[in-house]
Amino acid sequence: MQKQKVISRETGVEDQQYKWGFEFDIESDLAPKGLNKDIVKFISNKKNEPQWMLDWRLKAFELWEKEGVSSSPNWANVDFPEINFQDIVYYAAPKSQDDAPKSLDEVDPELIEAFDKLGIPLEEQKKLSGVAVDAVLDSVSVATTYQDMLKEAGVIFCPISEAVQKYPELVKKYLGSVVPYSDNFYATLNSAVFSDGSFVYVPPGVRCPIELMTYFRINEVDSGQFERTLIIADEGSYVSYLEGCTAPMRKTHQLHAAVVELVALKDAEIKYSTLQNWYPGDKEGNGGVYNFVTKRGAARGENSKISWTQVETGSAITWKYPSVILQGDNSTGEFYSVALVNNFQQADTGTKMIHVGKNTKSTIIAKGISAGKAQNTYRGQVSILPNAHNAKNFTQCDSLLIGDECGAHTVPYIEVRNPSAEMGHEATTSKVNDDQLFYLQQRGIDLEEANYMIINGFCRGIFKELPFEFAMEASQLLRVSLEGTVG
Amino acid sequence: MGKIMNDRNKKLLNVNDLHVSIDDKEILKGINLSVNLGEVHAIMGPNGSGKSTLANVLSGRPGYSITSGSIEYLGENINEELPEIRARKGIFLAFQYPVELPGVRTWQFLKSSVDAIRKENGEKELGVKEFDQLLEVHRNKVEMNPDLVKRSVNEGFSGGEKKRNEIMQLSLLNPTFALLDETDSGLDIDALRIVSNGVNEFKSESNAVLIVTHYQRILDYIKPDFVHVLVDGNIVKSGDGNLALELEEKGYEWIKESISSGN
């Protein structure tokens, strides 16, 4: 594959720590603030949805309203003031979307420029890279490249709003089948108001010829982002999907409550990689995105495999547990994670591996890095259900501390209900060692670079799970996020 | 040019009445040491005499405070210089206990180091192929296993492999002033020969070597021009290579006694 431009580009913004913090001026099509039945209908209407979709949203909304904010999860090791859900804009589309861009030529040039700033030159990628890009700006999917090649392979990769129109049977069959609308407070909210996201269907026996990628970006002030992604890998198929996220700097917090559902049928494999770089807030802890996300995959068929790789450097608060339900016999679940927090960031992230089928195997490798006054929690659950004979899990959690005002916490839950299970758990906590830093300095490498090299080394096992270009980008993100943590 | 001028040009290191403390405990108590280009010096002394402190403080390791005196290197006072700047100016420390750097590939580490030093000298970064060729030359000099450069720095290396890696770096980085801190410790006789050969091949009229060692053994292989005996933070005796042999024969107690008897 061709080398892709890395995302880290200077944009000359005030806060040099966050280099993705520009915003751009595109007239938005905004819903009024707040959430009620009419807003749900407004969103559905905007997308010209069929009745069944609206009904599903309304069911979710009714449940959300009935259960209320008091049902929101409060067990995570994060601390934030109560969110006023009536003070959020639930739909914001770039206005030019009304004219529905059909190709890049029709996309607002200012948008293209904005994506260029993000380091995603769609035009160039179309020619050069093997990555098909679906860019979701605020709530609407703007342009999807590489459609022809995908069409030939029979792969569907489109905004989920389009899938609702074009492939209603697939959406009806799988939407909510892994994360039901009643799953948790934020997932319920998302089910009611989700605006856009990606839809992928890979037909039986097809190995998706290119990596699929979505870039998410929140742009409007006070807007939340509620994307919903659904990926189905039919029997014997394979797909690798990447997502990247950025948001401009805001003094106030922004809510991001996404849902991602993956379904892998017999012999199918899904590899899902995330670079999460939502605005983390400033050095005093003002602003930043609340990233409350539900991600789950169902390894439904025999010999199926789902692999999550995440590099989380952004967001004021991260609350997410990409999980795998290992339903099919011989199915495999993997979770590889790097979570870096600095300044006042808080992350409570991990995974759940639910072993249902026989001979199921899961691997969890989580690396947490804490700097500044930040708090980092790994929370994981491994459950071996009674019929999961010969299940195997290996878990490794490593925490690295920079400075002495940050925290690292590890909260593993292990539940074994079948005696044939084999479980392994390893955990380490370490600090960046002065001897290591000095060794590198003594060889002419400056302190900041030395610190970066050591931490990059700590993450290497995870980065190697990422596609090459994404690994480069992850390294870059790490470098920027670590600026000012030593010296 | 006159001889005096030449001698001045050969002056590399001048340590003047250097006092160094760790956590308010004085370790070095007024060291004077002068090293010229083309010379090999050995600092010998019993455990706890301050040998390693001297090597560390010359290379700028944090945690040591210079309470008085100065270190002049190439005519400049480097008391406050950062370790990476000293390294780029040609001060190299072969570590007694080289650390492991999990996940940091040896190849990448070495290239970063070479490039940082080249940059200081106004040279451009090496291309991958150029660097590979350079690395192979120096790797062969210490007979280092080619697989090791693909692995994480020192991770899972044997004691001997770690020391070879240090000497390989000495050869690769070609510093002006090489400090060897107890390089012979933990080496079997074959490894000691290889490591010593590496140092001997390195030393020239345009650099200098300072060997810190407890035992005389390594000095059978690397012949020092000067030997200094360090006891309790002071250089109590200096001489030529024969002093090392005498020490080996009579032990450090002999020196201590000869000091206390005022001899």
Side-chain angles (χ1 to χ4, degrees):
Chain A
M1 226 183 335
Q2 299 280 341
K3 202 176 162 187
Q4 193 191 320
K5 274 197 180 177
V6 287
I7 192 169
S8 69
R9 294 173 48 160
E10 287 280 352
T11 52
V13 290
E14 256 178 279
D15 185 349
Q16 284 300 320
Q17 285 293 112
Y18 191 72
K19 293 179 175 167
W20 297 265
F22 53 88
E23 59 181 293
F24 39 90
D25 182 26
I26 299 159
E27 217 183 320
S28 260
D29 197 349
L30 286 172
K33 269 187 186 176
L35 185 53
N36 53 46
K37 220 172 237 185
D38 289 339
I39 294 289
V40 176
K41 285 180 181 162
F42 170 86
I43 295 167
S44 183
N45 186 43
K46 270 278 171 196
K47 300 189 163 291
N48 203 18
E49 283 177 353
Q51 189 63 37
W52 61 266
M53 192 71 254
L54 175 61
D55 290 346
W56 195 75
R57 285 176 182 277
L58 288 173
K59 264 197 292 185
F61 174 72
E62 277 160 24
L63 179 68
W64 185 80
E65 201 176 37
K66 194 178 110 207
E67 303 243 305
V69 178
S70 60
S71 71
S72 64
N74 58 3
W75 39 261
N77 184 25
V78 295
D79 186 29
F80 58 96
E82 194 171 291
I83 298 170
N84 180 356
F85 287 91
Q86 297 305 334
D87 201 32
I88 292 172
V89 173
Y90 287 86
Y91 183 85
K95 198 150 206 176
S96 54
Q97 176 66 13
D98 282 352
D99 310 315
K102 304 281 185 303
S103 75
L104 278 179
D105 303 337
E106 292 175 36
V107 174
D108 189 332
E110 218 178 314
L111 256 185
I112 300 269
E113 197 191 313
F115 283 123
D116 281 347
K117 271 195 196 171
L118 282 171
I120 332 161
L122 293 180
E123 289 278 20
E124 196 185 326
Q125 284 200 359
K126 221 174 165 178
K127 292 185 212 111
L128 293 179
S129 87
V131 180
V133 173
D134 183 18
V136 177
L137 184 81
D138 283 326
S139 301
V140 169
S141 183
V142 180
T144 305
T145 57
Y146 252 95
Q147 285 299 354
D148 294 346
M149 193 198 270
L150 292 174
K151 203 178 247 174
E152 209 167 295
V155 175
I156 302 169
F157 177 38
C158 67
I160 198 157
S161 53
E162 191 180 317
V164 169
Q165 307 289 343
K166 287 193 184 164
Y167 315 101
E169 293 315 311
L170 282 173
V171 176
K172 263 195 240 179
K173 185 170 176 188
Y174 291 106
L175 187 76
S177 75
V178 188
V179 180
Y181 70 81
S182 56
D183 192 80
N184 68 71
F185 179 80
Y186 298 111
T188 305
L189 175 64
N190 174 285
S191 302
V193 302
F194 76 87
S195 28
D196 223 325
S198 293
F199 176 83
V200 177
Y201 173 77
V202 189
V206 171
R207 191 178 169 88
C208 185
I210 46 178
E211 270 151 359
L212 306 179
M213 175 187 267
T214 300
Y215 260 88
F216 294 103
R217 179 164 176 84
I218 304 174
N219 202 45
E220 282 297 335
V221 186
D222 299 330
S223 73
Q225 180 150 320
F226 307 93
E227 86 266 1
R228 183 137 195 142
T229 291
L230 176 58
I231 298 175
I232 302 135
D234 213 324
E235 294 190 359
S237 69
Y238 168 86
V239 62
S240 168
Y241 179 91
L242 326 174
E243 64 171 358
C245 326
T246 57
M249 299 186 306
R250 299 286 185 210
K251 291 213 163 46
T252 54
H253 295 288
Q254 285 176 295
L255 177 63
H256 173 249
V259 172
V260 175
E261 295 178 275
L262 311 182
V263 180
L265 301 182
K266 187 169 179 280
D267 299 320
E269 179 176 349
I270 301 175
K271 190 171 165 58
Y272 193 106
S273 310
T274 303
L275 281 192
Q276 186 266 107
N277 185 33
W278 299 116
Y279 181 50
D282 67 15
K283 281 183 178 149
E284 278 73 48
N286 301 310
V289 170
Y290 290 164
N291 190 37
F292 301 154
V293 170
T294 305
K295 288 183 168 174
R296 195 174 302 149
R300 213 161 266 177
E302 262 173 66
N303 303 312
S304 58
K305 178 175 174 182
I306 289 178
S307 178
W308 299 98
T309 304
Q310 62 171 18
V311 176
E312 306 274 320
T313 60
S315 296
I317 299 177
T318 297
W319 178 93
K320 69 178 259 203
Y321 314 89
S323 304
V324 183
I325 302 167
L326 298 125
Q327 286 168 282
D329 290 349
N330 309 313
S331 60
T332 304
E334 294 173 340
F335 175 74
Y336 302 106
S337 172
V338 166
L340 180 148
V341 288
N342 193 3
N343 299 317
F344 285 88
Q345 281 177 275
Q346 307 173 63
D348 193 302
T349 183
T351 185
K352 284 192 245 181
M353 293 289 173
I354 313 296
H355 292 251
V356 182
K358 297 180 183 64
N359 306 315
T360 45
K361 206 173 108 185
S362 63
T363 304
I364 299 170
I365 300 179
K367 307 263 181 182
I369 302 153
S370 315
K373 294 182 162 59
Q375 295 296 326
N376 207 338
T377 302
Y378 166 80
R379 188 181 301 276
Q381 180 185 339
V382 179
S383 295
I384 312 293
L385 299 191
N387 290 327
H389 298 289
N390 302 317
K392 281 183 190 152
N393 165 263
F394 174 73
T395 300
Q396 182 185 335
C397 300
D398 297 322
S399 302
L400 191 68
L401 301 166
I402 304 169
D404 49 18
E405 290 183 273
C406 55
H409 317 270
T410 303
V411 191
Y413 301 89
I414 299 169
E415 177 197 20
V416 179
R417 290 201 265 157
N418 184 309
S420 65
E422 267 180 52
M423 314 289 286
H425 187 98
E426 291 176 11
T428 64
T429 301
S430 53
K431 289 189 85 162
V432 174
N433 184 316
D434 288 342
D435 290 344
Q436 293 176 324
L437 290 172
F438 178 63
Y439 189 78
L440 290 168
Q441 285 178 282
Q442 214 302 306
R443 297 300 186 252
I445 296 161
D446 67 48
L447 185 60
E448 191 155 349
E449 182 69 15
N451 188 49
Y452 162 73
M453 281 173 78
I454 290 166
I455 292 167
N456 197 55
F458 176 74
C459 301
R460 188 168 136 206
I462 304 299
F463 289 173
K464 75 175 172 45
E465 297 295 328
L466 292 167
F468 181 71
E469 295 79 1
F470 237 39
M472 304 273 287
E473 210 176 302
S475 272
Q476 283 295 334
L477 258 184
L478 194 68
R479 183 187 291 276
V480 174
S481 307
L482 286 168
E483 271 174 23
T485 57
V486 289
Chain B
M1 265 189 288
K3 189 174 183 304
I4 294 167
M5 194 63 165
N6 270 338
D7 281 345
R8 191 173 295 160
N9 282 350
K10 283 174 76 176
K11 178 80 73 192
L12 180 65
L13 180 82
N14 211 4
V15 177
N16 303 306
D17 192 28
L18 187 71
H19 292 254
V20 173
S21 299
I22 308 172
D23 299 330
D24 294 331
K25 185 173 187 285
E26 188 164 62
I27 307 291
L28 299 182
K29 302 168 179 173
I31 300 286
N32 290 290
L33 179 69
S34 186
V35 177
N36 294 321
L37 289 172
E39 294 176 351
V40 176
H41 289 244
I43 304 271
M44 298 187 71
N47 290 332
S49 58
K51 300 187 301 285
S52 284
T53 295
L54 181 62
N56 283 326
V57 85
L58 291 176
S59 55
R61 187 176 203 130
Y64 297 85
S65 53
I66 297 175
T67 49
S68 69
S70 66
I71 306 166
E72 280 171 33
Y73 176 74
L74 291 168
E76 279 176 51
N77 183 317
I78 58 162
N79 282 19
E80 300 296 322
E81 200 79 274
L82 290 169
E84 58 265 39
I85 305 296
R86 296 185 203 205
R88 290 173 203 165
K89 287 179 175 170
I91 297 179
F92 177 93
L93 173 64
F95 285 77
Q96 181 177 5
Y97 303 110
V99 290
E100 299 186 358
L101 302 172
V104 180
R105 281 183 70 204
T106 303
W107 187 94
Q108 191 62 54
F109 155 66
L110 294 172
K111 185 160 188 307
S112 298
S113 175
V114 166
D115 286 339
I117 290 165
R118 288 178 64 88
K119 199 175 162 197
E120 176 77 17
N121 297 329
E123 298 167 304
K124 67 173 178 50
E125 280 185 16
L126 285 179
V128 169
K129 272 201 182 135
E130 286 171 293
F131 179 72
D132 275 338
Q133 286 165 358
L134 182 71
L135 184 58
E136 196 178 338
V137 170
H138 295 284
R139 195 174 47 67
N140 285 335
K141 280 187 189 170
V142 293
E143 300 172 33
M144 191 168 135
N145 180 346
D147 287 342
L148 293 184
V149 301
K150 296 176 195 159
R151 305 223 313 245
S152 297
V153 179
N154 293 324
E155 199 179 38
F157 287 27
S158 70
E161 284 168 340
K162 284 180 183 173
K163 291 293 171 76
R164 274 188 220 201
N165 191 12
E166 293 297 293
I167 300 308
M168 196 270 283
Q169 291 170 47
L170 170 73
S171 176
L172 175 70
L173 301 176
N174 192 26
T176 310
F177 183 42
L179 290 153
L180 311 183
D181 188 6
E182 304 280 3
T183 294
D184 57 330
S185 70
L187 290 186
D188 63 30
I189 203 78
D190 291 331
L192 180 60
R193 191 182 302 120
I194 291 164
V195 161
S196 302
N197 285 346
V199 177
N200 285 328
E201 233 178 282
F202 159 77
K203 72 184 167 84
S204 75
E205 285 306 306
S206 56
N207 61 40
V209 177
L210 182 78
I211 303 169
V212 168
T213 183
H214 185 95
Y215 299 105
Q216 188 269 341
R217 190 174 70 142
I218 192 170
L219 304 180
D220 287 340
Y221 296 88
I222 308 167
K223 293 287 174 207
D225 301 302
F226 301 95
V227 174
H228 312 276
V229 184
L230 190 65
V231 175
D232 193 25
N234 283 297
I235 290 177
V236 294
K237 198 173 177 67
S238 295
D240 61 13
N242 291 322
L243 178 57
L245 295 170
E246 204 173 345
L247 264 178
E248 181 76 2
E249 197 183 315
K250 298 179 178 172
Y252 288 111
E253 287 308 313
W254 160 68
I255 286 280
K256 287 180 186 170
E257 282 161 22
S258 64
I259 304 159
S260 53
S261 66
N263 191 356

